[in-house]
Amino acid sequence: MRIEELDEVFHSIDHSSPFTISCEDEEAEKYLMIDVDGDYALPEYLYEGTSYFLETSDEEEMLEMHVGGLLEEYPRRNMIPREQTLELIRRAYQDMDAAFYSYNWIPNE
């Protein structure tokens, strides 16, 4: 998909259909993957060999999400609202480093 088509395609997907959107720079080992399910999205960033989750709060609540086709629980603190997915994927498309350094990513341990 071209970046120009992002909004149209994103908004055409039904809220009840989980999906994954990604942006990558293979040469630099940088890969942003965002799993979207319902009203939430779970971003994960592979940056120079380390996997990171976005930390958005200190909430301990766990929410179920479909990730990679499996329904599992993830901390709410690592999720963003569905609509913020567009902002994050656009930033990564323009500059993978800016998408990493503009947000609070924590190692996925």
Side-chain angles (χ1 to χ4, degrees):
M1 162 175 56
R2 295 186 345 251
I3 195 70
E4 296 83 17
E5 301 168 323
L6 179 63
D7 282 358
E8 181 180 345
V9 171
F10 185 86
H11 291 295
S12 72
I13 299 171
D14 188 289
H15 267 60
S16 64
S17 299
F19 64 95
T20 302
I21 189 167
S22 63
C23 184
E24 66 184 296
D25 180 347
E26 291 179 20
E27 292 177 16
E29 294 185 37
K30 298 171 187 169
Y31 184 84
L32 173 64
M33 178 176 66
I34 306 174
D35 288 287
V36 182
D37 189 1
D39 294 330
Y40 294 99
L42 179 69
E44 185 175 1
Y45 207 128
L46 179 61
Y47 192 82
E48 298 178 348
T50 302
S51 175
Y52 296 87
F53 279 126
L54 191 59
E55 187 169 63
T56 59
S57 71
D58 57 1
E59 290 184 49
E60 295 297 324
E61 177 186 11
M62 300 292 283
L63 298 176
E64 286 187 332
M65 282 204 66
H66 286 92
V67 174
L70 301 173
L71 183 61
E72 299 199 27
E73 287 192 336
Y74 293 90
R76 171 67 183 95
R77 70 177 173 267
N78 298 133
M79 296 181 189
I80 58 175
R82 178 187 181 102
E83 289 300 316
Q84 194 176 349
T85 301
L86 293 171
E87 170 193 326
L88 185 53
I89 207 74
R90 274 193 207 102
R91 178 152 308 184
Y93 180 81
Q94 292 173 350
D95 185 337
M96 293 293 286
D97 289 326
F100 185 77
Y101 291 109
S102 297
Y103 297 90
N104 187 29
W105 297 96
I106 58 169
N108 177 11
E109 298 175 348

